[in-house]
């Protein structure tokens, strides 16, 4: 006796498209790399302040995803409390918040728009993101 089972194609699609922790991590990493690449490109354009916007967004997005909680829209003090409650170490929190503050300031400070200043901010952001990755592992 042959029994035919009907399996809903939408069920199969939703089952196969579920995000695993690994696939989600790859998406986060890719989005962060794209933001930082956009920042590097903006550093050499006629709108270097856009580089700081991209760096800020990369840090906020990555910090939110890696911590599993949204820090977008929070004040710096709220970010400190949120990340501390998640168990992140204080020096890393301070480096993250300081870089967010640097980005906010640099968008409006004419001297911060030089390519070397933007490149230094990019390097600091990349270091913070690397630390965030190793914190969550």
């Amino acid at each position: 006796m042959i029994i035919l089972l009907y399996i809903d194609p939408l069920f199969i699609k939703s089952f196969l498209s579920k995000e695993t922790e690994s696939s989600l991590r790859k998406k986060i990493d890719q989005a962060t790399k794209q933001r930082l690449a956009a920042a590097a490109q903006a550093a050499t354009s006629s709108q270097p302040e856009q580089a700081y916007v991209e760096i800020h967004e990369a840090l906020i997005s990555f910090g939110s995803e890696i911590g599993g909680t949204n820090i977008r829209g929070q004040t710096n003090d709220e970010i400190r409390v949120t990340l501390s409650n998640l168990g992140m170490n204080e020096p890393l929190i301070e480096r993250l918040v300081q870089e967010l503050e640097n980005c906010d300031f640099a968008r409006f400070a004419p001297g911060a728009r030089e390519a070397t200043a933007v490149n230094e901010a990019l390097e600091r952001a990349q270091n913070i993101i690397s630390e965030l990755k190793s914190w969550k592992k």
Side-chain angles (χ1 to χ4, degrees), residues 5 34 53 64 70 73 100 104 107 110 114 129 131 134-135:
L5 295 175
Q34 288 174 344
V53 171
S64 293
N70 191 5
L100 293 173
D104 286 338
R107 285 189 285 181
E114 296 175 11
I129 288 168
E131 288 183 64
S134 64
W135 168 74

Side-chain angles (χ1 to χ4, degrees), residues 80-96:
R80 284 181 179 97
V81 170
T82 298
L83 296 178
S84 181
N85 289 341
L86 293 173
M88 188 178 289
N89 65 59
E90 295 298 321
L92 178 54
I93 294 170
E94 286 308 311
R95 281 192 296 283
L96 173 62

Side-chain angles (χ1 to χ4, degrees), residues 7-9 11 14 20-21 24 28 32 51 56 62 65 80 82 84 88 101-102 107 115-116 118 121 129 132 134 136:
I7 300 176
D8 184 6
F11 171 78
S14 70
T20 64
E21 186 173 334
L24 188 57
I28 295 166
T32 302
H56 188 276
F62 196 83
E65 293 296 334
R80 284 181 179 97
T82 298
S84 181
M88 188 178 289
E101 289 174 351
N102 290 344
R107 285 189 285 181
T116 55
V118 176
I129 288 168
L132 287 169
S134 64
K136 195 58 179 180

Side-chain angles (χ1 to χ4, degrees), residues 113-132:
R113 295 180 182 170
E114 296 175 11
T116 55
V118 176
N119 289 333
E120 289 170 359
L122 267 168
E123 187 175 327
R124 288 191 305 269
Q126 289 167 337
N127 290 337
I128 291 167
I129 288 168
S130 292
E131 288 183 64
L132 287 169

Side-chain angles (χ1 to χ4, degrees), residues 20-72:
T20 64
E21 186 173 334
S22 176
S23 68
L24 188 57
R25 171 87 58 168
K26 286 178 186 176
K27 279 186 178 181
I28 295 166
D29 286 346
Q30 184 63 29
T32 302
K33 286 178 186 175
Q34 288 174 344
R35 286 249 182 226
L36 294 178
Q41 186 176 7
T44 59
S45 74
S46 61
Q47 294 181 316
E49 63 276 359
Q50 185 61 31
Y52 293 105
V53 171
E54 295 292 344
I55 293 168
H56 188 276
E57 286 301 309
L59 290 170
I60 286 289
S61 296
F62 196 83
S64 293
E65 293 296 334
I66 206 77
T69 186
N70 191 5
I71 60 174
R72 182 178 309 286

